[in-house]
Amino acid sequence: MNPQPLPAATQGPVHIVGTGLLGTSIGVALRRLGVEVTLEDSSPLALAVAVELSAGRPRTPDDAAPRLVVVAVPPEVTGQVVAQQLAEYPAASVTDVASVKAAVLDDLRKAGADLTRYVGSHPMAGRERGGPAAAMADLFVGRPWVIADSGQSSRTAVRTVRDLAIDVGATLVSMDPERHDAAVAVVSHLPQLVASLVAARLVEAPGGAVELAGQGLRDVTRIAGSDAMLWAAILAANAPQVASELRSIRDGLDDTLGALDAAASGNFGKAITGLHDVIVRGNAGVERIPGKHGGARTDWDVVTVLVTDSPGELGRLFTEVGRAGVNLEDVEIEHAGGKPVGLTSISVLRGSGPRLASALARAGWRILA
Amino acid sequence: MNPQPLPAATQGPVHIVGTGLLGTSIGVALRRLGVEVTLEDSSPLALAVAVELSAGRPRTPDDAAPRLVVVAVPPEVTGQVVAQQLAEYPAASVTDVASVKAAVLDDLRKAGADLTRYVGSHPMAGRERGGPAAAMADLFVGRPWVIADSGQSSRTAVRTVRDLAIDVGATLVSMDPERHDAAVAVVSHLPQLVASLVAARLVEAPGGAVELAGQGLRDVTRIAGSDAMLWAAILAANAPQVASELRSIRDGLDDTLGALDAAASGNFGKAITGLHDVIVRGNAGVERIPGKHGGARTDWDVVTVLVTDSPGELGRLFTEVGRAGVNLEDVEIEHAGGKPVGLTSISVLRGSGPRLASALARAGWRILA
């Protein structure tokens, strides 16, 4: 449930420009800590929703100048709005939450903005739904929040933005803008584009093909459902870094095609060697991902249970798991033909797996070796 | 839990060649239905494990000739072993379970085998772990089982293989070998290669990049952990179809690179149009996948709950869900920084979402709009 809020390090007033998902969520989190927050948005509707959700109140001419301005507008206008805010509040520190950082900094340099009071941010948090109505105070809890110091940012500005990130529950990560943009190109922008390109193949897939779709295709294409306008703006703003990732993937595709063509022309030795190499390099890469595909996996026991499609069966399973009195760390349900039927993997703290397995087996569940 | 087994339509003896995951699972399922099963494998160890798991008994010279032979050996030797079995048992129907079908048929034609008694199969089932020790009688329950009639298969052979698929609980799908191979190229082989190529980029990812990995990257690269030797053989055996999918992806990559280069050279109108189009085509493709990313989604209410990282919290959540007395249809837990903290989405039958949400809210959980 929810930890007791600590006293905020952030000192208001904080002014938030742009009351979409991120801006409104930051406002709600700060208000819950008692920080004074004012809001503005080009859409009166979005602003009204944010106010209704207690993200703050609309800014009025009589309000005191903000100590901190948070710019949470679409990436393509972020630089311009940050420059305006720096000029309008000459004593304020200003941050933004755009998911690209170098392009914003370039715009500020071109605008001759005061870079000492600007520190770029990228909170690595979001939801499938956007807009103020989807806002939540806990959106940033446990998530990385990148602080991208341009090198010219003042210590006051950096400390002010770090305090904001900590107050909303995020985990601080420091990266300069270029390294940040290279990092998100590979961990975020590349996967998005590849998921979209693979999903696009399904539009003209042969009849009956999608009925054979398994969990692998579902996982690879899940994020292909993303918002097109937002992603077009993000990708365009990080174009050089994303292009260099795509070129590397294209080189890998060409190597793979070489191996496949060798197979087609009967040279199976060359084909198998090349294809094996592609999969092995992928094995090595996926092991670098922190968490359950990397380190954490070794800290957990995984108990795999067969769940058939009878009504209420998942509920009964979790009731039994509760009775077993073990600490549930994770649950993964495999989907066959789009139904949650098949293998359900329950991760528990290392050592309590056998106890859970025997408890479930006694309760009549099929436990898999 | 487990439905009462129906009487088997399959008449033994059934001979299974290759006691890996699939062969052993078929044997265990048939034995549970009382069907006589004999086994052989080039590895005495694998054979001993299969016998220990009650998949059948080793075949002896005195055994009656089988009515059905199931060949469950690696794809690169499947054609040759099927041809041997057709010759050795002139009255038996023979099937295989290789994940490619046209290449097997070509090998049989070259070998001058009796194609009237052969019907190719592809059960769309598997586990991350392979080998006989991972076998389970329920591996095929609710999974598609492709029956690939060459056009020359006798009605007896087709009916015999259909009976096998139904007896082990699978759902029948009929496709000719070429259509099957084109279908798995797009829904299975392409996602595997793309996941591996994206994961491979992480090997040389900039310092700190993987620490920013979110659920999107985890989903896209999950299957990159697959077995390299098995996949090299599968991909080589379906080389022409996989190559044509990869060439389509490369065309899509080139279009995307064109849009990104337009952005880099300041032509944002062209860039945004092109990138928007890539994401929109992906949106359309992902909607074609049956199940929770397609149709079924509309039959469910989804209640999203914030789960923090305190011990036992998931267990408490599922206990409350059980108390609420609603039918759990699916659970998805979003992972932040590799920990199952953040948003847990619980799918229930349409209509019971509000009841679950208010029950959980009363119990102190944070429910997200």
Side-chain angles (χ1 to χ4, degrees), chain A residues 87 145 227 272 291:
Chain A
W145 182 302
D227 179 78
I272 295 293

Side-chain angles (χ1 to χ4, degrees), chain B residues 319-346:
Chain B
T319 308
E320 297 290 349
V321 173
R323 288 203 191 110
V326 297
N327 264 3
L328 209 54
E329 292 290 336
D330 192 14
V331 175
E332 277 186 286
I333 302 177
E334 188 183 83
H335 291 73
K339 287 183 175 174
V341 50
L343 307 184
T344 296
S345 300
I346 302 170

Side-chain angles (χ1 to χ4, degrees), chain A residues 15-84:
Chain A
H15 184 50
I16 297 174
V17 184
T19 56
L21 172 63
L22 295 181
T24 305
S25 296
I26 292 169
V28 173
L30 290 176
R31 286 301 303 134
R32 201 202 274 179
L33 297 172
V35 177
E36 183 185 2
V37 178
T38 59
L39 306 170
E40 75 177 87
D41 195 285
S42 56
S43 154
L45 181 63
L47 183 61
V49 173
V51 170
E52 178 64 27
L53 294 174
S54 308
R57 56 179 174 77
R59 182 162 178 84
T60 67
D62 318 340
D63 284 314
R67 290 168 177 261
L68 170 64
V69 178
V70 179
V71 173
V73 299
E76 66 272 23
V77 290
T78 296
Q80 162 201 340
V81 174
V82 168
Q84 289 164 358

Side-chain angles (χ1 to χ4, degrees), chain A residues 198-211, chain B residues 182-183 186-187 245 288:
Chain A
V198 171
R201 294 296 306 146
L202 301 175
V203 174
E204 48 200 77
V210 292
E211 280 64 41
Chain B
V186 62
V187 302
E245 282 302 322
R288 287 200 62 199

Side-chain angles (χ1 to χ4, degrees), chain A residues 261-280:
Chain A
D261 294 344
S265 59
N267 185 345
F268 279 95
K270 180 183 177 192
I272 295 293
T273 312
L275 294 167
H276 183 268
D277 187 46
V278 171
I279 307 291
V280 164

